[in-house]
Amino acid sequence: MTTHPTPTDPVPPPSTPPIPSAPAPSWQDEATGPTRSERLSALAQQHGALVTLVVAVFAAWLSFDTFLTTDNLSNMAVSSAFLAVVALGMTFVIVTGGIDLSVGSLFALGGVLAAWGSRYGTAVALLLPLAACALIGLVNGLLIARSRLAPFIVTLAAMLGARGILLAVTDEGSRTYLVDKDSFFAKLGQGEALGVGVPVWITLALFVAGAVTLRRSRFGQYVYAVGGNEDAAALMGAPVARTKIAVYTLSGLCAGLAGALNAAWLVSGVTILGSGMELEAISAVVIGGTLLTGGFGFISGSLVGVLLLKVIQNVINQIGSLDSAYQQVVSGGFLAVVVMAQTWLGRRRRVL
Amino acid sequence: MTTDLATPRTKATDQDRLRRQLQDYGVYYGVAVLLLVNILFTPHFLSTENFRTQAVQVAPVLIVALGMALAIGSEGVDLSVGSVMALSTSLISLYLGYGIWIALAAAVLGGAAVGVANGALVAFIGVQPIVATLALMVAGRGIALVLLPQLKDVHDPSMASLGSGDLLGIPYLVLIAAALTLLVAFVVRRTTFGRQLLAIGDSRPAARLAGLPVRRVLILVYVASGTLAAVAGVLATARLTASDPTSLGTLMELSAITAVVVGGTPLSGGRVRIGGTVAGAVLIQLLTATLIKHDLPPSWTQIAQAVVIVLAVYAARERGKR
């Protein structure tokens, strides 16, 4: 150690001024591969919700004879289907690092427009809500991507506005539009195939399509890139604005479709539906392992998240004496715990 | 405030100046225009009774918005305020048997406790404010409904006089709202806490590097927001002489955020405009009152409010950080 400076030696001036140390970028870690604890936390993040779901179902099966009955399960599946379609669109939005608070209102608007349009045939009943909700989603996306407004505030305004349009369409909520029970449109909601409700099949198909899109398509790559680091994505040549516009349009489309399917299932358009649905959808996506900071998430996780929420609600309903107030306390507490765990896992895995 | 000394000053174009004017004073122009329209076209608008009604109605929204302004100034948001109002109204009814002061203390402490939970999630765990307060928004209303499952009338003379009494012709509600406004304005402008809050909202990493007590300040911000929302819940209960945990404070987070944002406080934090927040709350109240008085249906109010939010944020979009 001949070069080691003794206290009397003048310290050679550093060639560059010291830079305040920034956290090491994650690519430096990845040169040596993820450590064991990083791999474990990644696993927990990816499959934690699924494990919890299995445990919850098992516990519910042991506690209630009425849980694992065909009736209860198929009811749960159909009612999960609508939320799941909303959560599918929300997953894309959240992976880009955004948020969509308007989905509850769009769900209700889609349902009422579908019920109103069903008198002109199934095509109108489906296309009208899809077009209207996609249009509102498009406006959200344009304001967020082109005018650079905060997603949270834009979609908050859309939530108010869509509810207002809904009230205007239904004479301030006093009119209910019914769907003809024998129409093909009603079959979309009420029909069954192989003993499973049609909405469940539609939802499953949409999730497969969504998962393939997010994982395998170029658009999916852009969605991850925009959420991971917007500036980097732009430098790489990803169409940042177009991607954002597309995800908000998609989210509106999904919410409208879910509303239309729900109206077909209920054979009427109910104005008061969907309030608080944005929270449920966000909860489901977050529980499913998607990071709210963007850039990381799974479509399958959102489906698991929806099922987990519905199982918890179902269990609380089965207990019976506990009413919806407890349901809210449990869901809120559960969300808090999940987000805490996720933040903790995420912090171990990478610098957020 | 954020003048960049490195870039040479260029002459602001007329368009820039107009936009800045709109950003800073737009909300006041909006209030002035609405007042003028009402004075000209609304019968019986210019009466003491009407002003009193409007002021009493705006008071709870304003108090909640003050807390929201602090949260937004710290680059956060508090979605749980509506649920905190519900919680405080439940607590009032539950503890009124032990005397009014105990009941008031329970209500306010309940709000502060929710604030501590929000603040701990944000400051210590590092959860995004929107999600942390979302969890408390869902759970808070649940707790309120567990404590008090349905509407309950409040028969208490002191609560009744708090709700409808006045001092020299000015309702207590308005006086309390005015006092709290001055207090919050003082805290933001003149205290160390206020400066630390704005510094954290401007850039949390920078504030941390500068040695500011980031966690303590963030917790205090959410405690303040929760406490103010609880006070608003108490006042709303006093005015309605009933506790209604099901519907009290629903969509309040929306109105409060609107008031703050329309008032010119940027969502990106680092800046709080209390005067603008007051004007924002008044603007929303006037807008609603105008549409209702001219027999336009409630749906129009919602659409109008949505448009106002988007316009306000659009006008302010160049301001603040990117």
Side-chain angles (χ1 to χ4, degrees), chain B:
Chain B
M1 216 170 69
T2 50
T3 323
D4 193 351
L5 294 175
T7 50
R9 283 201 183 179
T10 47
K11 238 180 168 180
T13 61
D14 283 351
Q15 209 183 351
D16 280 346
R17 219 173 293 135
L18 182 69
R19 207 182 55 220
R20 183 134 306 167
Q21 273 264 314
L22 270 178
Q23 279 167 18
D24 285 346
Y25 303 107
V27 63
Y28 301 109
Y29 295 145
V31 170
V33 167
L34 271 177
L35 276 176
L36 197 66
V37 166
N38 275 298
I39 289 168
L40 291 178
F41 299 109
T42 309
H44 316 301
F45 183 78
L46 274 182
S47 68
T48 332
E49 196 48 46
N50 180 48
F51 275 107
R52 220 182 126 100
T53 316
Q54 304 292 341
V56 165
Q57 280 184 2
V58 88
V61 183
L62 172 58
I63 293 172
V64 175
L66 290 173
M68 187 67 80
L70 295 181
I72 291 180
S74 73
E75 205 180 358
V77 74
D78 188 350
L79 297 183
S80 69
V81 288
S83 297
V84 168
M85 286 181 75
L87 186 63
S88 85
T89 200
S90 292
L91 286 169
I92 280 271
S93 273
L94 223 58
Y95 284 95
L96 211 49
Y98 303 98
I100 175 90
W101 291 109
I102 301 274
L104 290 180
V108 172
L109 284 177
V114 173
V116 170
N118 279 331
L121 281 172
V122 173
F124 283 96
I125 318 269
V127 176
Q128 281 170 308
I130 185 171
V131 197
T133 56
L134 187 78
L136 266 296
M137 172 188 186
V138 181
R141 188 160 304 266
I143 296 170
L145 285 166
V146 168
L147 293 175
L148 186 74
Q150 71 267 315
L151 189 137
K152 188 177 171 193
D153 285 330
V154 171
H155 303 289
D156 185 89
S158 7
M159 284 295 279
S161 78
L162 176 65
S164 53
D166 57 34
L167 186 73
L168 304 173
I170 307 173
Y172 286 140
L173 262 58
V174 177
L175 286 175
I176 294 171
L180 288 172
T181 306
L182 291 178
L183 178 69
V184 172
F186 176 79
V187 166
V188 169
R189 294 213 178 158
R190 295 267 181 263
T191 63
T192 317
F193 169 74
R195 281 185 202 167
Q196 291 175 339
L197 184 162
L198 295 182
I200 290 168
D202 214 30
S203 163
R204 216 200 279 192
R208 190 173 290 131
L209 287 175
L212 299 189
V214 174
R215 289 177 168 172
R216 194 177 70 208
V217 172
L218 280 178
I219 289 201
L220 283 176
V221 165
Y222 288 95
V223 168
S225 174
T227 308
L228 286 166
V231 170
V234 169
L235 297 183
T237 311
R239 190 164 68 87
L240 303 167
T241 63
S243 286
D244 182 7
T246 319
S247 63
L248 184 71
T250 47
L251 293 186
M252 181 54 89
E253 62 286 341
L254 251 163
S255 304
I257 293 169
T258 312
V260 174
V261 169
V262 170
T265 301
L267 277 169
S268 48
R271 192 157 180 264
V272 171
R273 296 188 63 207
I274 298 296
T277 302
V278 176
V282 170
L283 181 80
I284 299 164
Q285 174 62 29
L286 274 178
L287 190 68
T288 314
T290 311
L291 294 174
I292 288 175
K293 284 207 169 133
H294 288 92
D295 287 331
L296 288 167
S299 54
W300 284 57
T301 319
Q302 292 196 2
I303 297 173
Q305 204 177 334
V307 172
V308 168
I309 297 176
V310 172
L311 283 181
V313 187
Y314 191 82
R317 86 202 134 115
E318 302 285 338
R319 155 141 301 158
K321 306 168 301 182
R322 272 182 298 168

Side-chain angles (χ1 to χ4, degrees), chain A residues 157 163-164 172 279 292 328 343 347, chain B residues 125 128 131 134 142 297-299 306:
Chain A
R163 200 50 86 176
E172 304 306 313
L279 307 182
L292 271 159
Q328 289 180 7
T343 313
R347 198 181 285 163
Chain B
I125 318 269
Q128 281 170 308
V131 197
L134 187 78
S299 54

Side-chain angles (χ1 to χ4, degrees), chain A residues 92-167:
Chain A
F92 278 86
V93 170
I94 291 183
V95 171
T96 63
I99 202 151
D100 189 350
L101 298 179
S102 68
V103 289
S105 295
L106 292 181
F107 178 80
L109 181 64
V112 167
L113 289 179
W116 179 82
S118 69
R119 69 187 67 175
Y120 304 106
T122 306
V124 178
L126 277 177
L127 290 180
L128 180 67
L130 289 185
C133 294
L135 184 68
I136 296 176
L138 178 69
V139 173
N140 280 338
L142 284 172
L143 285 169
I144 290 162
R146 295 254 182 250
S147 306
R148 304 188 140 267
L149 306 187
F152 139 74
I153 202 86
V154 170
T155 55
L156 198 71
M159 165 185 171
L160 260 187
R163 200 50 86 176
I165 294 171
L166 171 64
L167 286 176

Side-chain angles (χ1 to χ4, degrees), chain A residues 260-272:
Chain A
L261 290 177
N262 189 57
W265 185 53
L266 294 172
V267 286
S268 68
V270 184
T271 17
I272 56 163

Side-chain angles (χ1 to χ4, degrees), chain A residues 291-316:
Chain A
L291 283 185
L292 271 159
T293 37
F296 183 82
F298 330 95
I299 294 291
S300 58
S302 300
L303 187 60
V304 174
V306 168
L307 292 177
L308 190 52
L309 281 182
K310 288 290 173 183
V311 167
I312 290 173
Q313 283 176 12
N314 193 269
V315 166
I316 291 172

Side-chain angles (χ1 to χ4, degrees), chain A residues 95-96 219-234 236 238 240 295:
Chain A
V95 171
T96 63
F219 171 66
Q221 299 282 303
Y222 290 152
V223 170
Y224 277 117
V226 168
N229 185 334
E230 206 178 310
D231 295 332
M236 273 173 12
V240 174

